Amino acid sequence: MSRRKRRSRRRRTEERERSNGSTPGVVSPGLPGGHYRPLAPGDVERIHQASLEVLERVGIEVPPSEGREIFRAAGARMDDETNRVYISRSMVEDALATAQNEVLLAGRDPEHDMVLGGTRVYMGTGGAAVKVLDLETGRARESTLADVAQVGRLVDALDNIHFYLRCCVARDVANELLDINTFYAAVANTGKHVTGNCYSVDSVRDVLEMAELIAGSPEALRERPFISFVTCWTVSPLRYAPETVDVLTEVVRQEMPVFLSSAPQSGATSPAALAGSLVQINAEELSGIVFTQLVKPGTPVVLGYVPSVSDLRTGNFVGGAPEFALMHAAVAQLGQFYNLPVYNSSGLTDAKVPDIQAGYEKGITSLAAALAGANYIHHSAGFLESMLTVAYEQYVIDDDVNGSIMRMVRGIEVNDETLSVDVIEQVCRGEGHYLGTQQSLELMNSEYYYPHTGDRQRRQDWEAAGSQDMWQRARERAREILRSHRPPPLPPGADEAIRQRFEIVLPPALAGVPAGER
């Protein structure tokens, strides 16, 4: 990418960062965080050094595969009896020197472009749920391809959800058709950036061919990548999954953005000590940076820290724990230490429905990750039941939560005007009330966040309006979005070309295809 284009991209990002979000209920994405730091600078350095020691002393288990031979060709120390690869400090330093410090994730609509890096914060969806709370019955059922499409439509309409990482598994689609149909259903229903995974190298190539048909050419897609890939290439502790590494290798060779997702669970697949879990996941992530830079130096790769927590009394995974929040804030600091973009998690809950428990658990984890300045915070919307279930209403509620969180990320602007000495003098001299000052009128929509689903009415007004709780109001708003919102259509002819080339099972009506083109 040319220096001029990088400057242009950075200028657009800085303009968004300066924006005060003048639309009620909307706060600009990409605002800088970094205000919350659970690790002292010396602690970050100690975790880094311990991670390097793990890579040199313990190494990574890499079964016989092309990936292992890539390490061998680079001169890594090998133990073929135990399949362990030992990565030196110099290899890590070389990889960090060539990795991109910023990664563009474009939207189909340029308004939704994201530039990951620094402390810029974006919050979106994620996961591979297998159940959905049905919007009409309220009962949990298996997730379908239609859910992938309709949640994409919700994401497109909800301003404080900044990207769409496919939310659930289409249980009604055959495995051999799953990847292409999942990406298609997502991309066709939002102008925001779409992330997903692929289960085979052939699927990666198919998805890229589809995306190239939409972009207009392979070069256009690489210039503005409106899709990206997530790969869970490690099996903690410190072991590579050969099939997924093959997928990762293909994505890197195709020069597409990729997330290195590693998800150890403290007390189960990583140490119970939180610092020890951070050392292990950091070692796994550094090994991934080394591997991808060996495959193709300068490839757009994002550190993918997803540390999780066990309830040590039962061994169960827990998503809404304060320890989860602490670690996801800490990994943002690690990414900033390396000056590399970070993918991490928030918004998980062990609640089964959108209730009080869901609210406080999501608020704790999302606020910590965002204030720490994590770049691509997935899982921040929609999830229930420890990542097993999503709910349409929960996306609406979490959009409101994310708006409040992004307002806190923006912080307090201090300048001569906001210090308000003249306004204080005016009111204290009896010249009006603060609510009626020109300053209040000017700042009404920029200084304050107004919830779109949270209720601030007086009790009598709330009762007169039907005494609905937030869950009920969110259900109504989700229904209205699905009924009336239309995402940006695919380019003319793209849908037909895709359907001729691939076996697309999503009905055209659920892909936003105009009636005249069906």
Side-chain angles (χ1 to χ4, degrees):
M1 179 177 295
S2 71
R3 184 175 302 172
R4 180 179 179 182
K5 288 177 180 174
R6 282 198 183 97
R7 283 200 302 267
S8 176
R9 179 201 298 173
R10 188 172 292 110
R11 185 165 57 250
R12 292 196 302 270
T13 301
E14 290 170 351
E15 288 170 357
R16 286 198 298 269
E17 290 174 357
R18 287 194 297 269
S19 168
N20 285 329
S22 59
T23 303
V26 180
V27 185
S28 299
L31 295 168
H35 316 300
Y36 172 50
R37 298 186 171 276
L39 297 174
D43 295 336
V44 175
E45 176 67 31
R46 291 186 70 181
I47 289 170
H48 168 64
Q49 293 297 334
S51 303
L52 296 179
E53 184 177 355
V54 165
L55 290 175
E56 285 190 319
R57 254 177 62 186
V58 183
I60 301 285
E61 183 182 347
V62 184
S65 60
E66 183 191 11
R68 183 164 149 188
E69 296 312 308
I70 289 171
F71 276 119
R72 190 190 303 276
R77 183 165 62 91
M78 318 283 290
D79 185 335
D80 289 333
E81 289 188 8
T82 62
N83 292 333
R84 301 207 78 80
V85 175
Y86 301 93
I87 299 174
S88 68
R89 293 169 185 252
S90 62
M91 291 180 74
V92 174
E93 291 167 359
D94 290 345
L96 292 173
T98 61
Q100 287 192 24
N101 304 122
E102 292 185 338
V103 172
L104 169 67
L105 301 181
R108 273 204 300 122
D109 181 344
E111 178 186 357
H112 299 301
D113 285 4
M114 304 183 294
V115 181
L116 307 190
T119 61
R120 289 188 289 272
V121 178
Y122 302 92
M123 306 183 74
T125 65
V130 294
K131 292 183 286 186
V132 172
L133 284 192
D134 190 271
L135 191 55
E136 301 307 320
T137 69
R139 295 177 179 271
R141 58 166 173 79
E142 283 198 341
S143 51
T144 68
L145 188 62
D147 293 314
V148 176
Q150 293 190 126
V151 170
R153 192 162 297 191
L154 281 180
V155 169
D156 193 68
L158 295 169
D159 292 299
N160 302 309
I161 300 176
H162 305 138
F163 58 85
Y164 186 26
L165 195 164
R166 66 92 176 88
C167 61
C168 57
V169 178
R171 303 294 294 276
D172 57 341
V173 176
N175 287 341
E176 62 271 18
L177 300 177
L178 186 60
D179 294 342
I180 188 71
N181 275 278
T182 298
F183 265 98
Y184 172 83
V187 169
N189 278 281
T190 182
K192 299 179 182 180
H193 185 84
V194 169
T195 302
N197 71 318
C198 284
Y199 292 101
S200 71
V201 169
D202 287 341
S203 285
V204 172
R205 293 168 181 164
D206 286 346
V207 167
L208 286 176
E209 184 179 346
M210 178 194 71
E212 289 163 1
L213 289 170
I214 296 170
S217 69
E219 295 76 20
L221 178 63
R222 272 67 180 181
E223 179 70 19
R224 288 187 46 77
F226 59 85
I227 65 168
S228 58
F229 297 85
V230 57
T231 57
C232 302
W233 94 112
T234 59
V235 180
S236 298
L238 297 163
R239 183 180 186 275
Y240 279 14
E243 298 82 2
T244 313
V245 173
D246 289 345
V247 170
L248 170 62
T249 304
E250 179 65 19
V251 175
V252 170
R253 286 174 173 156
Q254 294 279 357
E255 300 181 86
M256 292 296 292
V258 64
F259 300 97
L260 299 171
S261 178
S262 179
Q265 185 175 335
S266 65
T269 57
S270 64
L274 301 188
S277 278
L278 292 174
V279 168
Q280 181 184 301
I281 196 171
N282 197 50
E284 290 171 346
E285 288 298 315
L286 290 177
S287 80
I289 290 293
V290 170
F291 177 75
T292 55
Q293 299 307 300
L294 290 176
V295 173
K296 195 170 191 65
T299 194
V301 178
V302 179
L303 291 166
Y305 300 98
V306 193
S308 62
V309 176
S310 301
D311 186 321
L312 297 183
R313 299 168 300 181
T314 63
N316 292 341
F317 171 92
V318 289
E323 297 82 10
F324 182 98
L326 279 168
M327 286 201 290
H328 281 270
V331 298
Q333 290 183 254
L334 291 171
Q336 291 153 22
F337 176 80
Y338 299 119
N339 193 23
L340 295 178
V342 168
Y343 156 112
N344 70 339
S345 186
S346 78
L348 301 187
T349 178
D350 304 303
K352 312 307 181 286
V353 295
D355 61 7
I356 294 170
Q357 179 183 346
Y360 88 75
E361 290 181 342
K362 286 168 172 285
I364 289 170
T365 59
S366 291
L367 183 61
L371 288 182
N375 305 131
Y376 183 102
I377 306 173
H378 78 311
H379 294 147
S380 82
F383 261 123
L384 296 165
E385 197 182 352
S386 304
M387 297 200 297
L388 291 175
T389 301
V390 293
Y392 287 90
E393 306 97 305
Q394 193 66 60
Y395 288 99
V396 175
I397 293 170
D398 290 343
D399 180 78
D400 223 355
V401 173
N402 287 357
S404 294
I405 288 170
M406 291 301 295
R407 177 61 189 92
M408 294 183 71
V409 169
R410 205 182 92 204
I412 296 174
E413 184 178 5
V414 178
N415 56 41
D416 290 344
E417 290 187 12
T418 63
L419 288 171
S420 307
V421 173
D422 291 342
V423 178
I424 294 169
E425 181 181 21
Q426 172 190 336
V427 171
C428 290
R429 285 182 173 177
E431 301 174 13
H433 185 281
Y434 284 119
L435 196 58
T437 64
Q438 184 63 32
Q439 182 193 63
S440 295
L441 293 173
E442 291 174 352
L443 295 181
M444 175 180 262
N445 289 335
S446 61
E447 188 82 340
Y448 296 87
Y449 175 79
Y450 301 100
H452 54 65
T453 307
D455 179 77
R456 290 181 175 178
Q457 300 178 90
R458 297 178 303 169
R459 175 172 288 276
Q460 57 264 42
D461 295 330
W462 172 75
E463 289 174 345
S467 306
Q468 289 186 323
D469 64 19
M470 193 172 188
W471 185 358
Q472 292 169 315
R473 292 190 298 274
R475 182 182 295 120
E476 288 187 358
R477 183 151 195 231
R479 287 171 175 161
E480 174 58 28
I481 290 172
L482 295 178
R483 182 167 54 249
S484 62
H485 180 73
R486 295 294 175 263
L490 297 176
D495 183 76
E496 182 181 0
I498 291 167
R499 289 177 183 273
Q500 287 179 351
R501 173 66 181 84
F502 303 105
E503 188 175 344
I504 300 298
V505 299
L506 188 74
L510 283 175
V513 179
E517 296 181 20
R518 295 174 193 168

